[in-house]
Amino acid sequence: MSRPVAIIGGTGPQGSGLALRWARAGETVIIGSRDATRAEKMADSIRQRVSPQAQVSGLENAAACAAADLLMLTVPFEGQAELLKQLKPAIRAGSVLIDATVPLAASVGGRASRTLGVWQGSAAQQTAELVPKGVSVVAAFHNVSADVLNGDDDVDCDVLVCSDDPQATKVAMELAVKIPGVRAIDGGKLENARIVEQITALLVGLNIRHKGHGGVRITGLPEAAYQSRKR
Ligand SMILES: NC(=O)c1ccc[n+]([C@@H]2O[C@H](COP(=O)([O-])OP(=O)(O)OC[C@H]3O[C@@H](n4cnc5c(N)ncnc54)[C@H](OP(=O)(O)O)[C@@H]3O)[C@@H](O)[C@H]2O)c1
């Protein structure tokens, strides 16, 4: 059985899109929500799309944290800090937490094509300050569109993975390449999340301007820099 991944805020488009792709890849997925019923409903709808045997369940966020040591955080920036403070006692020592939060200005009534300044440098670095000691934070999946994740086509996007813990980077890269079409690239230290998060605001603006679902591809690196799904 695969290591379960619990998606905190998994009822939204980004979390449920990742859940759909990982369930299709045979991963064990726990949808987390502030409301257990909402989580179960989303798990049910993913099972309907994938197969009745798909390993997808739904739990309240704290119970989801307690049930897994691989966590994916997909909540809006305005709820991120408060939620992490609430969940701190439930997050298991030694967990890997992957954060996709983008500090969009829309969080405070501004434009979705702009970002907010975050004192820590990025939303992911804020997360790193709020999780229990010994939890490794990874920034990833910021530039993948939820609309694309929720579709059936291959995902035409590279996933830049940033963390100060190389082992956690490896775990997140392995998860990323379960998604058909995705190439995972080690993006260096967690502080690089501030740049990766900004790219999403640019993509939002491009999507509005050109009416699309843009992603990113990094070219010109040696073959070894790109990790992709083994077929
Ligand atoms: N959408 C995209 O294309 C995309 C792409 C890249 C990155 N992202 C980032 O991924 C994150 C999730 O995106 P999304 O579009 O899925 O967001 P969303 O729909 O606004 O929120 C996701 C889930 O978070 C929970 N939530 C909402 N407000 C909350 C609060 N104040 N406190 C705690 N939980 C709250 C809700 O679940 P419950 O009500 O069930 O608890 C909601 O379903 C965001 O940070 C976004 O910037 C999104």
Side-chain angles (χ1 to χ4, degrees):
M1 205 174 83
S2 65
R3 180 183 185 181
V5 54
I7 307 182
I8 309 308
T11 54
Q14 190 71 357
S16 63
L18 290 168
L20 173 72
R21 297 297 182 148
W22 289 330
R24 280 184 183 151
E27 297 298 300
T28 302
V29 181
I30 302 163
I31 302 286
S33 166
R34 289 169 294 181
D35 180 294
T37 310
R38 204 155 46 236
E40 282 160 19
K41 259 184 152 168
M42 180 53 80
D44 196 40
S45 100
I46 292 171
R47 274 196 308 273
Q48 279 178 31
R49 282 190 70 182
V50 179
S51 107
Q53 283 75 43
Q55 297 297 308
V56 190
S57 56
L59 291 173
E60 187 276 324
N61 283 326
C65 288
D69 62 4
L70 177 54
L71 309 176
M72 179 76 228
L73 183 66
T74 52
V75 295
F77 180 69
E78 64 268 29
Q80 186 206 37
E82 184 65 36
L83 183 66
L84 285 169
K85 284 178 199 162
Q86 282 168 24
L87 295 179
K88 194 170 181 180
I91 299 177
R92 287 157 54 172
S95 293
V96 169
L97 187 152
I98 309 168
D99 192 353
T101 310
V102 181
L104 294 178
S107 297
V108 292
R111 292 189 184 174
S113 53
R114 289 183 182 152
T115 52
L116 298 169
V118 183
W119 282 111
Q120 292 82 351
S122 63
Q125 287 165 289
Q126 173 169 273
T127 292
E129 272 192 11
L130 294 169
V131 294
K133 266 203 174 60
V135 172
S136 295
V137 173
V138 183
F141 302 106
H142 303 85
N143 307 143
V144 189
S145 151
D147 289 290
V148 176
L149 285 172
N150 280 294
D152 299 321
D153 295 338
D154 282 10
V155 173
D156 186 14
C157 189
D158 288 344
V159 169
L160 294 160
V161 179
C162 305
S163 176
D164 296 333
D165 176 354
Q167 194 52 38
T169 295
K170 190 166 170 273
V171 169
M173 288 177 74
E174 280 167 7
L175 206 50
V177 301
K178 304 272 175 183
I179 303 171
V182 162
R183 295 183 309 184
I185 300 172
D186 181 346
K189 284 180 173 283
L190 190 66
E191 66 179 40
N192 288 339
R194 79 190 189 285
I195 304 164
V196 181
E197 291 172 8
Q198 301 282 329
I199 293 171
T200 304
L202 175 68
L203 290 172
V204 170
L206 291 172
N207 290 341
I208 294 168
R209 179 177 295 267
H210 300 288
K211 301 184 178 24
H213 306 293
V216 293
R217 286 294 193 196
I218 306 294
T219 62
L221 300 177
E223 203 55 38
Y226 302 101
Q227 197 169 309
S228 52
R229 192 161 75 135
K230 290 169 191 67
R231 300 213 177 233

